[in-house]
Amino acid sequence: MFAVVRTGGKQYRVAAGDKIVVEKLDGEAGSSISFSDILLAGEGSELKSVEGLTVSAEIIAQAKADKVIVFKKKRRHNYRRKNGHRQQHTILKITAIGAAEKKAKAKKADAAPETAGAEAPAAQA
């Protein structure tokens, strides 16, 4: 199964097990993140619904890209400027593409306080 994910203003086609380099995301190496901004999903040539779909990934490393040299010059004006820039990026490994677990967790969380609330008055009596 594959999905098209949007992050950092760019779109990436990913599948489980892929490694991708994206613009810097918050997090330490080894932590996991999930993307909910899914644009397209499918299996082979068949497209699937993206409602409730999430892509989970693990951060492999926080790194910097190769240096880019920016050189400006205006001839005959003794104007020269040389700057370097290294863009920060995050290397991710896609672990799974599947349905969101938030709904299931929310249902369990809603059920737990109701039972706890019912036990509290019995303990007071």
Side-chain angles (χ1 to χ4, degrees):
M1 184 171 187
F2 72 91
V4 176
V5 177
R6 179 174 30 205
T7 179
K10 298 175 183 68
Q11 299 173 7
Y12 302 90
R13 184 186 190 273
V14 297
D18 286 354
K19 290 183 182 177
I20 60 172
V21 177
V22 299
E23 295 215 7
K24 180 148 175 72
L25 299 172
D26 291 334
E28 302 273 331
S31 63
S32 61
I33 59 171
S34 64
F35 298 104
S36 59
D37 193 5
I38 312 298
L39 304 174
L40 184 75
E43 197 160 344
S45 62
E46 181 181 326
L47 297 179
K48 296 190 175 189
S49 174
V50 296
E51 290 184 26
L53 195 67
T54 59
V55 174
S56 59
E58 179 183 354
I59 297 176
I60 296 175
Q62 302 283 5
K64 286 187 173 182
D66 294 334
K67 182 175 264 194
V68 176
I69 303 297
V70 179
F71 185 75
K72 300 177 182 179
K73 180 180 178 178
K74 293 183 181 177
R75 59 186 199 158
R76 294 188 299 272
H77 290 282
N78 194 27
Y79 176 85
R80 289 181 289 279
R81 303 290 184 266
K82 182 178 178 182
N83 289 315
H85 176 74
R86 292 186 71 186
Q87 185 70 33
Q88 296 200 12
H89 59 247
T90 303
I91 303 170
L92 299 174
K93 180 177 181 182
I94 306 300
T95 55
I97 300 173
E101 298 177 9
K102 293 179 184 178
K103 293 180 182 176
K105 288 182 182 177
K107 288 181 183 177
K108 289 180 184 177
D110 290 340
E114 291 174 9
T115 57
E119 293 172 5
Q124 292 175 353

